[in-house]
Amino acid sequence: FRNGKITKPEPMFKWMLVLTCLISFLSFSDLTPSDETVKWIPIDQVDELYAKEPRPILVDVYTSWCGWCKVMDKKTYTHTALASYVNSHFYPVKFDAEYKGAVKFNNKQYDFDKQAECNMLAVYFLEGKMQYPTTVFLSSPGAPPAPMAGYMQPKDFERPLKYFGERANLKMSFEKFGSGFSPEWN
């Protein structure tokens, strides 16, 4: 608008407008959650599913008050490649460490301990080190738990997921697996 008349935008202005729109789109596109998310199953279904089709078990041990657990739910478990991999290679279980009911897993019953303020299955999974979030890998329901404490971004989570998902843990050390590992997720 000049001298009371509508004028054509300058070419530089057009490019700045296009660039601004593109930057806005790209910055917000990372915030859009994926349609693919981890499809969690109840802990009491693992034994039956494993008997039909053996595959590793991934347990996300969390609490309702844990901030980093919520961040992991929103940013890690909604990563498209990660969620797809977990759904196809694991029996994924989300387990509240403070669940007050009785839980049956691997033909054993675990109860809530009022003094410890947690379910004894969480104590078993975390080997008594009550940190949240903790991701627990099990080769089978009867295998010893392999807990990994702390928040993990998808790029940091890829190596352990593939180590257990491809059952490399039954053949080699995590270090040896990592020496030839090329990450694909970012």
Side-chain angles (χ1 to χ4, degrees):
F1 190 84
R2 283 191 201 144
N3 300 330
K5 294 182 181 178
I6 298 175
T7 60
K8 285 184 168 182
E10 298 292 323
M12 184 65 162
F13 176 77
K14 286 181 186 177
W15 285 109
M16 287 176 54
L17 183 60
V18 168
L19 186 60
T20 302
C21 290
L22 183 61
I23 290 171
S24 296
F25 172 76
L26 292 174
S27 63
F28 286 111
S29 66
D30 279 351
L31 300 176
T32 307
S34 144
D35 288 340
E36 179 86 37
T37 59
V38 174
K39 293 173 179 52
W40 303 105
I41 61 170
I43 189 78
D44 60 1
Q45 290 182 9
V46 171
D47 292 333
E48 182 181 334
L49 290 169
Y50 188 87
K52 289 179 185 174
E53 180 190 340
R55 63 165 90 161
I57 302 152
L58 177 145
V59 183
D60 174 38
V61 182
Y62 73 99
T63 63
S64 61
W65 50 264
C66 168
W68 284 111
C69 299
K70 293 172 185 167
V71 173
M72 200 155 166
D73 282 343
K74 286 182 183 177
K75 295 193 176 201
T76 303
Y77 290 122
T78 58
H79 183 278
T80 304
L82 184 146
S84 177
Y85 189 86
V86 168
N87 289 334
S88 63
H89 289 81
F90 290 90
Y91 290 119
V93 174
K94 191 170 249 329
F95 186 72
D96 182 353
E98 296 175 337
Y99 178 69
K100 292 186 174 34
V103 179
K104 191 170 185 179
F105 177 73
N106 193 31
N107 299 315
K108 295 178 189 165
Q109 181 169 311
Y110 297 88
D111 296 308
F112 181 78
D113 184 309
K114 289 180 185 177
Q115 190 173 8
E117 297 181 348
C118 61
N119 193 290
M120 295 311 290
L121 181 57
V123 174
Y124 167 72
F125 282 151
L126 307 185
E127 299 175 334
K129 299 173 185 122
M130 309 311 284
Q131 300 172 333
Y132 313 108
T134 294
T135 305
V136 180
F137 296 98
L138 298 153
S139 298
S140 68
M148 292 184 68
Y151 166 76
M152 285 186 277
Q153 297 178 27
K155 65 183 176 96
D156 302 323
F157 206 8
E158 182 180 6
R159 183 174 155 206
L161 277 172
K162 290 185 175 178
Y163 177 66
F164 286 95
E166 295 168 14
R167 297 196 173 261
N169 63 307
L170 303 174
K171 303 173 213 155
M172 66 181 79
S173 70
F174 188 62
E175 291 75 26
K176 184 173 182 182
F177 179 79
S179 67
F181 182 76
S182 297
E184 299 170 4
W185 307 339
N186 54 10

